Amino acid sequence: MKKFLGTTIFSVLSLCVFAQNEISYTVSFPNAIHHEAEIAMSIPNVPAGNLIVRMSRSSPGRYATHEFGKNIYHLKAFDANGKALIIKQSAGDVYEIPSHGNHVKVTYTLFGNWIDGTYAGFDETHAHMNIPATFAFPVGMDDRPRLVKFDYKDKPQWKVATQLKPLANDTYFAPNFQYFMDSPIEIADYKTAKWEVKNKDGKIQTIHFIAHANDSQQTIDQYAEMLKKMVDEHFAVWGEFPSYDYGNYYFLDDVYPDNAGDGMEHRNSTSIVQRTPKIEGYEANLLGTFSHEYFHSWNVERLRPKTLEPFNFEHSNMSDELWLAEGFTQYYGGLLLTRSGLKTVDNAIQAFTGMVNSVLNTPGAKNFSPIQASRYAVFADAGVAIDQTNAANTFLSYYTYGAATALALDLRLRAEFKLTLDDYMRALWKAYGKPEIAYTIPDLEKTLSELTKNQAFAKDFFSQYVYGTDKNDYAKLLLHAGFVLRKANPGKAYAGFGRLNFTNGKVVLPQTLIGSPAYQAGLDVGDIILTMDGKEIKTIADMDHVTEAHQPGDSIPVSYLYRGEEKTTRLIFTENPTLEIITIEKTGGTLTPALQKFRDNWLNSQVKSK
């Protein structure tokens, strides 16, 4: 979230001043076994007039709305003497108190049973809280500090982990509303490991790994050693750590098979929710989320688009820049694991292959720009609508689209300017991230122009590949590193059915993609395939066998059920468009010293020897 302390040093004196105006909460868990928390909010110095209290509809790091107000009930309001006040519920998540005194207390029950980065969850083992899903707030008092006190005396083994500033007696402090809403909380009998890092200015900060997981302390310690290697590579990209506001950064990791799963970045912490039995045995599988979310402590938490400042908690937050904020983060999340030795070069190749296939072979990328993909996040980012959309044909995730854009820019900077994407990120950090000046897309273009000393390159790159839908020459770019981009199944027939569903002994089509043979044949989502080329289709394997027996250009009859009516069409196979990336060595080509050097400089560790 936004820079909040400036040059002001928090002190006992300032806390005394805040105490006259702060909004305070108490949270208890008398019915945690049934997923409830009891919350009370005290608001001093309430201005005259209609007091509006509400729940958030959105959350930091989430761009769609999530209607958190649906999970609170028994909301009541009282004056300083404990007298009940009249409440008007003017919307599902909005409560108005027209008549009140100087001090108002609001109480309510919160139900939470969804463990991810967005919602809240309570049970006998822990209290997992994303702040917007948990705490109501008075409208118009964003500058006021917050205090929150937890009461869990019947669970003495529990401990609190959060980026909020700890005070005495299980009480925690936030300097304002924006910081408070960006501060997830985990209370549990968790295990922890921590280590110190030295910043470029010599300042020592502490990174904490908090694990609510069924693992031994030894496993936690060993995993922390892996995270240290990852963190070192992140530092190497940026050249310095962010100045964590209270000198601490927290990985809040919640691991259990019934979890919803997620990763959600915050200013000085991240909430990581894993759907595995434990960490042990799944270490490598979990690292990608850690790396992605940690990169966010620079990119998006401090290097922040102007479209997200300030974050609005009353509606969805649309941003043109998620292709960089999320997409470049996606690119680096995997790349830095390879550089740290925690993933292999083959892992990196697999990730690059997915990026390139998506950007070159999907209608969402063909017809819409990275900016347009970013804007669609208000609908796509864990959106809760239940009706079908045409997203498969109109949208490519800004994560993937942005990662493919980052891949191309990194390779072009290396090949054409003897620079790297690391250099670009450091330049953005210096100009906008470290001073926390919210940027615009013209700012991003300007920085690229200044870095390369080539205004025409920067203008063309943004015009073609950010504002526009042109695609970089990935085959040419990847060859600089001795990687060959080619058709994965040359000469093989392709029907374009996508990921088929096998339901009740029937093969059911998913949404078909514009331009694919299935789409051109008039086949669509929900159609049940009966026969292909005169052969009865009972399994997905039956369809594969028919396809494998044909060549691109062959035309076959297809019969299918549409809303219970049997229909027929003709499908013309095309060549399978799927691409693959392999090393030049595997093609029988020569990995020259120049290609090897380019590859090593890109994918090997950037950590300088200490």
Side-chain angles (χ1 to χ4, degrees):
M1 291 265 88
K2 192 174 180 180
K3 185 176 182 180
F4 69 95
L5 288 178
T7 58
T8 303
I9 299 175
F10 179 75
S11 65
V12 174
L13 179 60
S14 63
L15 181 58
C16 292
V17 174
F18 289 152
Q20 302 173 25
N21 216 31
E22 67 200 7
I23 295 163
S24 61
Y25 299 87
T26 59
V27 186
S28 59
F29 313 97
N31 198 26
I33 194 169
H34 293 299
H35 316 294
E36 288 184 342
E38 299 297 330
I39 300 174
M41 172 177 61
S42 294
I43 313 168
N45 296 328
V46 180
N50 193 31
L51 171 64
I52 300 176
V53 171
R54 65 166 301 141
M55 288 293 289
S56 175
R57 298 186 66 225
S58 57
S59 178
R62 284 268 94 99
Y63 309 105
T65 54
H66 292 278
E67 312 302 347
F68 298 118
K70 67 184 179 300
N71 283 331
I72 72 168
Y73 38 89
H74 300 325
L75 188 140
K76 300 175 183 178
F78 307 90
D79 66 13
N81 297 316
K83 180 182 176 182
L85 300 174
I86 295 174
I87 302 172
K88 176 185 176 183
Q89 187 173 0
S90 54
D93 46 20
V94 178
Y95 301 83
E96 299 184 23
I97 306 171
S99 180
H100 53 80
N102 184 60
H103 188 283
V104 174
K105 180 178 181 180
V106 175
T107 65
Y108 58 92
T109 300
L110 171 70
F111 178 85
N113 192 27
W114 193 254
I115 310 299
D116 70 352
T118 307
Y119 296 96
F122 311 102
D123 58 39
E124 288 289 270
T125 71
H126 70 151
H128 175 93
M129 287 168 279
N130 183 39
I131 303 297
T134 307
F135 293 96
F137 61 91
V139 174
M141 303 183 192
D142 291 5
D143 290 337
R144 294 197 187 188
R146 263 64 173 174
L147 285 180
V148 56
K149 178 178 174 57
F150 299 105
D151 179 3
Y152 49 91
K153 54 182 175 292
D154 59 333
K155 297 175 176 60
Q157 73 279 19
W158 279 15
K159 308 178 289 290
V160 177
T162 178
Q163 68 178 34
L164 295 170
K165 182 177 179 62
L167 304 177
N169 301 319
D170 282 314
T171 301
Y172 295 80
F173 168 83
N176 54 40
F177 175 68
Q178 289 280 330
Y179 188 85
F180 181 58
M181 295 293 269
D182 194 38
S183 302
I185 300 164
E186 179 74 23
I187 312 179
D189 182 18
Y190 56 75
K191 297 179 179 69
T192 184
K194 62 182 180 180
W195 67 96
E196 292 183 342
V197 293
K198 181 184 288 187
N199 214 344
K200 189 170 70 171
D201 60 4
K203 181 180 178 183
I204 302 297
Q205 303 186 101
T206 304
I207 297 180
H208 304 257
F209 174 40
I210 307 296
H212 179 221
N214 295 320
D215 285 284
S216 67
Q217 185 62 47
Q218 181 181 7
T219 296
I220 303 306
D221 292 339
Q222 290 172 346
Y223 202 62
E225 291 299 319
M226 300 173 75
L227 296 178
K228 287 181 188 179
K229 294 180 181 179
M230 179 200 80
V231 166
D232 287 345
E233 292 295 343
H234 284 253
F235 176 84
V237 171
W238 298 98
E240 63 181 316
F241 289 105
S243 181
Y244 300 125
D245 296 305
Y246 298 117
N248 296 282
Y249 183 90
Y250 298 87
F251 290 105
L252 305 178
D253 192 22
D254 202 303
V255 182
Y256 194 68
D258 291 342
N259 287 344
D262 203 1
M264 187 56 60
E265 75 275 4
H266 298 277
R267 183 175 171 89
N268 304 305
S269 62
T270 182
S271 178
I272 296 175
V273 180
Q274 307 288 355
R275 302 181 65 185
T276 58
K278 53 175 61 178
I279 294 170
E280 185 179 14
Y282 300 89
E283 290 89 346
N285 297 344
L286 309 182
L287 283 169
T289 307
F290 281 86
S291 188
H292 179 100
E293 303 306 335
Y294 188 58
F295 200 82
H296 272 315
S297 67
W298 289 270
N299 189 29
V300 94
E301 288 298 333
R302 291 164 175 85
L303 177 59
R304 192 161 177 81
K306 195 170 185 178
T307 45
L308 295 179
E309 274 303 316
F311 196 87
N312 191 308
F313 292 92
E314 298 185 18
H315 58 65
S316 59
N317 285 253
M318 191 173 77
S319 174
D320 291 351
E321 298 85 7
L322 297 184
W323 57 272
L324 186 135
E326 293 287 0
F328 277 40
T329 300
Q330 184 76 1
Y331 171 72
Y332 270 109
L335 174 63
L336 298 185
L337 293 178
T338 296
R339 287 185 182 174
S340 64
L342 298 169
K343 293 283 188 178
T344 66
V345 171
D346 284 343
N347 294 141
I349 290 174
Q350 184 179 19
F352 300 152
T353 299
M355 297 171 197
V356 174
N357 268 298
S358 293
V359 83
L360 295 183
N361 285 328
T362 62
K366 180 179 179 181
N367 299 311
F368 298 89
S369 70
I371 290 175
Q372 290 171 303
S374 298
R375 292 172 180 167
Y376 198 77
V378 298
F379 305 115
D381 183 38
V384 295
I386 61 173
D387 60 321
Q388 290 187 5
T389 70
N390 199 28
N393 285 309
T394 61
F395 173 66
L396 173 62
S397 169
Y398 42 89
Y399 286 85
T400 308
Y401 212 156
T405 305
L407 170 64
L409 182 55
D410 198 357
L411 293 173
R412 291 193 65 178
L413 288 172
R414 291 172 184 274
E416 299 173 35
F417 298 98
K418 306 305 179 186
L419 294 166
T420 72
L421 195 65
D422 297 6
D423 294 316
Y424 182 52
M425 300 312 291
R426 284 192 290 269
L428 290 174
W429 175 254
K430 181 179 179 181
Y432 303 102
K434 188 172 183 178
E436 300 199 44
I437 300 170
Y439 66 79
T440 63
I441 293 180
D443 292 329
L444 299 176
E445 181 181 330
K446 176 185 175 184
T447 303
L448 184 61
S449 174
E450 292 172 346
L451 176 68
T452 59
K453 298 180 174 58
N454 190 321
Q455 185 177 5
F457 169 78
K459 182 178 180 180
D460 288 347
F461 189 89
F462 273 79
S463 175
Q464 292 178 262
Y465 310 116
V466 176
Y467 295 104
T469 58
D470 291 352
K471 301 297 175 279
N472 284 275
D473 187 344
Y474 286 94
K476 177 182 176 181
L477 292 173
L478 287 161
L479 197 56
H480 290 296
F483 294 143
V484 176
L485 177 65
R486 66 185 190 183
K487 288 282 183 71
N489 300 289
K492 298 296 184 181
Y494 172 74
F497 288 130
R499 185 170 294 179
L500 296 160
N501 301 309
F502 187 69
T503 306
N504 298 324
K506 300 175 181 179
V507 178
V508 184
L509 293 187
Q511 186 173 28
T512 54
L513 299 184
I514 293 173
S516 69
Y519 189 97
Q520 295 297 103
L523 297 167
D524 198 19
V525 60
D527 290 345
I528 298 170
I529 303 299
L530 300 176
T531 67
M532 290 176 62
D533 199 22
K535 296 177 176 60
E536 187 176 7
I537 301 299
K538 294 183 177 180
T539 67
I540 294 173
D542 292 338
M543 299 181 73
D544 292 339
H545 291 153
V546 173
T547 301
E548 291 164 0
H550 287 276
Q551 301 294 320
D554 288 354
S555 175
I556 64 168
V558 176
S559 67
Y560 62 100
L561 282 181
Y562 171 75
R563 295 175 63 89
E565 177 186 356
E566 185 171 339
K567 304 185 73 172
T568 61
T569 185
R570 293 199 71 84
L571 182 145
I572 302 174
F573 291 108
T574 61
E575 185 181 32
N576 194 315
T578 304
L579 301 169
E580 66 177 1
I581 299 171
I582 64 171
T583 62
I584 195 170
E585 310 93 286
K586 292 181 180 179
T587 69
T590 301
L591 180 65
T592 66
L595 297 180
Q596 181 74 69
K597 182 179 179 181
F598 190 105
R599 186 189 296 179
D600 291 345
N601 289 342
W602 176 27
L603 301 180
N604 284 2
S605 176
Q606 304 298 305
V607 176
K608 297 179 180 179
S609 300
K610 298 180 180 179

